[in-house]
Amino acid sequence: MSTNAVKKKSGGMKFDPNWIYLILCGAIVYWFVTTKDAMPTEKQIDWSDFQRYTRENVFSRMTVNLKENLVLAEVKPAHQKAVFGDTVPPIRTNAWGETEKPSVKTILPSADRFSDFYDKTKERYDIDATVKYEEGGNFWLNLLNGFLPILFFVFLWVWVMRKMGGGGAGGIFGVGNSRAQIYDKGTANKKTTFKDVAGLSEAKQEVEEIVDFLKTPQKYTALGAKIPTGALLVGPPGTGKTLLAKAVAGEAEVPFFSLSGSDFVEMFVGVGASRVRDLFAKAKAKAPCIVFIDEIDAVGRARSRNMAMGGNDERENTLNQLLTEMDGFGTNSGVIILAATNRADILDKALLRAGRFDRQINVDLPELNDRKEIFVVHLNDIKIDETVDTEFLARQTPGFSGADIANVCNEAALIAARGGKTLVGRDDFMNAVDRIVAGLEKKSKITTLEERQAIALHEAGHATLSWMLEYANPLVKVTIVSRGKSLGAAWYMPEERQITTYQQLQDEMCATLGGRAAEELTLGKISTGATNDLEKVTKQAYAMVAYYGMSERLPNLNYYDSSGQDWGTFTKPYSDETATLIDEEVKRIVNEQYLRAKEILA
Ligand code: ADP
């Protein structure tokens, strides 16, 4: 029976330890206020009144406090009514066990004056009050009165600091905590393994080694090898970097901390560094484990050398802390840091040196075969009919990332469901691809007949040229159905190639200019419809002249700084004359292709 009762008590009520602090605080405040008030037995009176009362022999005992220059005098019961009036204070015991009789208190002009006054009064009047001199007041009372407010604030301060530093939940006091999400064996709802990652065979091979480090570190340490501290996954967004990192954690069966570089950034100074410390402390406690920092360029950007420019001190502090923590690890502490970025070139060199992120793993956009595999993975959960062919889908989605493909599969299923189908077919996938590339179909967009004609001619120009030109990308489809922002579109199937020749660039530009050329030739007037084309062509031409060294007057010169170190300096790496030359060359190249486009169309 009694054990039952105990059980009930401990299990039934949830007790938040913060309540203790609150109750203690409350008690202190209450005590402080009441002890201050706990002297209603003392009535303060003037010195002249005090003198009068003394002569009238009202007091039985006087206690002179020399330090504070005041006297406390107990009033004889017979005179209490005269002194206190109707509200005679009762006799009571104070917190220190002393009895407090009803008394009055007065400030003395000085202790000497009091003793003079007392002696004189004693000679002339018949008084029997005893006098006691005291150095200070009640020692403990003084101490407490003096220190209690200080104690209270110290207490409050300690409490706030503990909430800031400790595992307090949320609020502004949690700013110093890292924002890492942890996927542990217990919390993982579904373990990610290498099977979920399609393609990326080279990257997988690299990270498999990391899994091995985590699983059997002895194998490496026995030979005196050091376990690497970090690996950097470099690649465009949506190519499966996070997925890969999760798969590593899943395969190695270790906890996985996931956070984004921007999670370190906060408007308070010093918070970033404190979050880095917190993250590493947590990770070390859980070792062996994996820490995954997505978008590490948010903190890892090269520190500016140009101090005069101000620079972002807070970000640099955070980065410095990160560098220090990565170094401070014992090499075999079992914490491996994976980071992802799509811009490894702008990262601080110190991050990339050996002992930190010494491995770089490239995660590129998937090639045809990889896309096929990714489709296979994502079609697993989708009910498809026999018209769906992964090979065809992979061909239709050049330049798509893994995330895009996952999106296509989901979108196709949604489209099919909207159409009330039981299976997802090929058309649904094609619609999904269209939608993801160009945006939602705008059936309500009103175009005049004239506009539609212009759009049709424009797109026909693109189509004709890409048909006629040897190196232009093959055409997939032309449409004047407006989607998203565009009014019409000609879609190409870019060849998947790693290098592009001069001729290919020329033909591509020519085909891109085909739209405007067609408008000019057939309608005799040009429109704003070609804005996007022109932007593309101009950029391309600048790249040809300034980066690829492909112009006649500036051959084999490249003005691009791939190290990213000169970012922020305002000087161009070339003279004003060269700048003029570049402009002229760009104009010439674009113009040549425009004339060529018109010629072919004509
Ligand atoms: P990143 O971190 O590179 O931006 P993610 O790893 O977050 O990209 O990928 C987003 C989603 O895209 C994943 O959840 C997954 O569904 C899909 N995905 C990307 N790459 C692949 C791949 N290689 N295999 C299977 N799915 C992929």
Side-chain angles (χ1 to χ4, degrees), residues 1 12 70 77 80 88 113 130 156 164-165 213 259 274 295 309 331 368-369 490 501 530 549 584 594:
M1 185 69 205
L70 59 83
Q80 281 172 2
V88 181
R113 289 274 300 274
T130 53
L156 199 74
M164 268 177 111
F213 288 144
L259 78 167
S274 127
E295 318 288 352
M309 294 286 296
T331 31
L368 185 66
N369 284 329
T501 64
E584 282 169 8
Y594 187 63

Side-chain angles (χ1 to χ4, degrees), residues 2 84 87 161 174 208 252 266 356 379 439 445 467 493 506 517:
S2 65
F84 295 107
T87 50
M161 290 316 273
E208 258 162 27
E266 189 75 61
R356 289 179 186 138
L379 289 181
K445 197 172 226 167
W467 187 260
M493 171 104 50
Q506 275 190 319

Side-chain angles (χ1 to χ4, degrees), residues 196-200 236-243 294 374 377-378 402-403 406:
D196 301 307
V197 187
L200 307 176
T239 44
K241 298 183 291 290
T242 315
L243 194 68
D294 207 355
I374 299 174
V377 167
H378 288 283

Side-chain angles (χ1 to χ4, degrees), residues 232 259-266 268 270-277 279-280 291-304 312-323 326 337-344 346-352 357:
L232 190 65
L259 78 167
S260 165
S262 56
D263 287 344
F264 292 118
V265 186
E266 189 75 61
F268 306 117
V271 167
S274 127
R275 282 188 183 161
V276 172
R277 275 192 298 272
L279 170 70
F280 280 75
V291 175
F292 177 67
I293 308 175
D294 207 355
E295 318 288 352
I296 197 172
D297 38 303
V299 279
R301 203 178 283 263
R303 284 164 290 184
S304 59
N312 188 342
D313 278 347
E314 169 61 2
R315 195 175 53 71
E316 289 185 8
N317 286 342
T318 311
L319 176 59
N320 285 335
Q321 188 64 41
L322 188 66
L323 296 175
M326 286 190 77
I337 302 150
L338 295 176
T341 177
N342 43 13
R343 307 212 43 202
I346 59 163
L347 290 185
D348 201 277
K349 291 285 169 285
L351 258 185
L352 302 177
F357 291 111

